[in-house]
Amino acid sequence: MDTTPHPGDTPAAQDGAQEYPPVPADTKDWTWVLARPCPECGFVAADVTPDRVGAAVRDAVPRYVRVLAREGVRGRPDPSTWSPLEYAAHVRDVFSVFDVRLMAMVEDDDPLFANWDQDAAAVQADYAHQDPAAVARELEVAGERVATRFDALTPDRWERPGRRSNGSVFTIRTLGQYFVHDVVHHLHDVRG
């Protein structure tokens, strides 16, 4: 059997992954999870204080790593929903984005966060064709980094503000709640 890549072969054709169009953009403003429980994953933002964020991340990371070790991790449940691999790559990047945002809130007065388009990031970084083992390692490193940054916070910093480019205002407390929801919700998405 000839396994040599040929001109025109896509990375997916070479590694057995399916080709899918980009997932439709998620245009919802998820900040509502700060005011009421998420009916899909059951997350309750009010239950999370900044001193609990690190533990929540450390609890989630090995669950994502187990998901990434599953057979069929590249398969989408349908063409418009990310695969478990794509969700895990997204969460890895969420760890890094929120680490930078938290650092800015600690070091600066009311910073304006750089815009991050999660859907464009998924396409540009080709989440669907990344190596699951590499994503697992990177997720562990990025998760520990952001968990450690939250662990270092003292309560006198919890109400420091920061703003998203769309005008959403956060404190370190609500940023942590919003962030943990993303992590927990995607575990629900991948049945982790």
Side-chain angles (χ1 to χ4, degrees):
M1 177 179 190
D2 178 15
T3 59
T4 307
H6 298 282
D9 282 355
T10 65
Q14 294 169 21
D15 72 5
Q18 292 182 294
E19 285 297 318
Y20 292 111
V23 168
D26 181 358
T27 57
K28 289 185 243 174
D29 180 355
W30 285 88
T31 56
W32 61 264
V33 301
L34 298 173
R36 61 186 187 274
C38 179
E40 293 177 39
C41 70
F43 179 80
V44 180
D47 292 347
V48 179
T49 52
D51 58 335
R52 296 179 64 197
V53 172
V57 169
R58 290 186 185 95
D59 175 66
V61 166
R63 296 168 68 188
Y64 279 106
V65 170
R66 285 192 297 274
V67 166
L68 286 163
R70 288 183 195 157
E71 193 169 317
V73 71
R74 294 180 187 279
R76 287 184 176 175
D78 61 71
S80 64
T81 303
W82 278 344
S83 68
L85 172 59
E86 290 169 290
Y87 274 118
H90 165 71
V91 170
R92 174 206 54 209
D93 290 353
V94 164
F95 286 163
S96 296
V97 167
F98 278 79
D99 183 50
V100 168
R101 289 179 177 182
L102 176 59
M103 184 171 46
M105 292 174 83
V106 169
E107 295 177 356
D108 302 325
D109 290 326
D110 194 20
L112 177 63
F113 307 139
N115 190 37
W116 182 57
D117 182 332
Q118 66 182 20
D119 301 299
V123 172
Q124 290 166 356
D126 195 16
Y127 287 174
H129 299 109
Q130 291 189 8
D131 174 21
V135 172
R137 288 188 303 273
E138 294 160 357
L139 194 136
E140 289 172 322
V141 170
E144 184 56 35
R145 187 173 48 241
V146 71
T148 298
R149 193 171 312 278
F150 270 99
D151 288 347
L153 293 169
T154 53
D156 61 306
R157 300 230 175 231
W158 292 2
E159 303 311 319
R160 290 183 61 83
R163 294 170 287 122
R164 230 172 30 187
S165 58
N166 71 353
S168 296
V169 176
F170 293 90
T171 63
I172 286 176
R173 177 189 304 271
T174 61
L175 184 86
Q177 293 168 340
Y178 184 78
F179 164 61
V180 173
H181 172 257
D182 203 313
V183 174
V184 169
H185 193 93
H186 294 318
L187 272 175
H188 170 77
D189 289 331
V190 299
R191 294 170 181 82

